[in-house]
Amino acid sequence: MQTVTEQGLQELKEQLLRYEGLSLTAYKCTQGKLTIGIGRNLIDKGISLEEAHYLLNNDIAETLAQVNSRIAIFTIINEPRKLVLLDMAFNLGVAGLCKFKNMIAALERQDYQKAADEMLDSRWARQVGQRAQDLARKMVEG
């Protein structure tokens, strides 16, 4: 089997970047395939399990930093409740989570039942069903 030198690989990367372009968001290529990055065909190739976990780890780190900076009570509540907020933020986006003002106010009062009730009294809860039920239970139980 023939190998390619590091220099050759670098030249190939530069060439592919020049011809394929770089997009950090998904787009349809000239063949109508959903594509991202430097020519990654998401329809035919998708991503590997390792890549999915890499992306997840990055997304969790970003979500954690945003929730930590935008919701003051986050640093004080216990870990199970932090995980509830992070799960919600991952699903809704941090801006969406911040719209749960009554839930956050209940957390600040340490009224976990009321926080759970506020979670369940939402369009989000109706959309995600069992997920909301599970997270509300974890909010109460801590």
Side-chain angles (χ1 to χ4, degrees), residues 33-34 38-49 51:
K33 305 282 182 141
L34 191 60
I38 303 171
R40 169 62 70 94
N41 177 334
L42 292 173
I43 301 299
D44 296 335
K45 184 169 182 171
I47 62 174
S48 69
L49 180 60
E51 289 165 326

Side-chain angles (χ1 to χ4, degrees), residues 76-140:
I76 299 167
I77 59 177
N78 66 14
E79 183 147 312
R81 292 182 178 111
K82 286 179 182 179
L83 297 180
V84 168
L85 294 184
L86 291 170
D87 190 305
M88 290 178 71
F90 196 88
N91 182 243
L92 293 160
V94 176
L97 174 64
C98 288
K99 291 179 182 177
F100 281 73
K101 295 184 187 313
N102 294 333
M103 179 198 71
I104 294 168
L107 279 174
E108 290 170 348
R109 296 188 311 272
Q110 298 180 353
D111 186 347
Y112 304 117
Q113 182 61 58
K114 180 66 173 169
D117 292 345
E118 292 295 337
M119 291 167 62
L120 295 174
D121 185 25
S122 67
R123 184 171 56 123
W124 166 77
R126 290 185 294 281
Q127 290 172 337
V128 301
Q130 189 61 50
R131 182 182 195 168
Q133 296 293 324
D134 294 344
L135 293 177
R137 180 182 42 76
K138 291 177 182 181
M139 179 62 75
V140 172

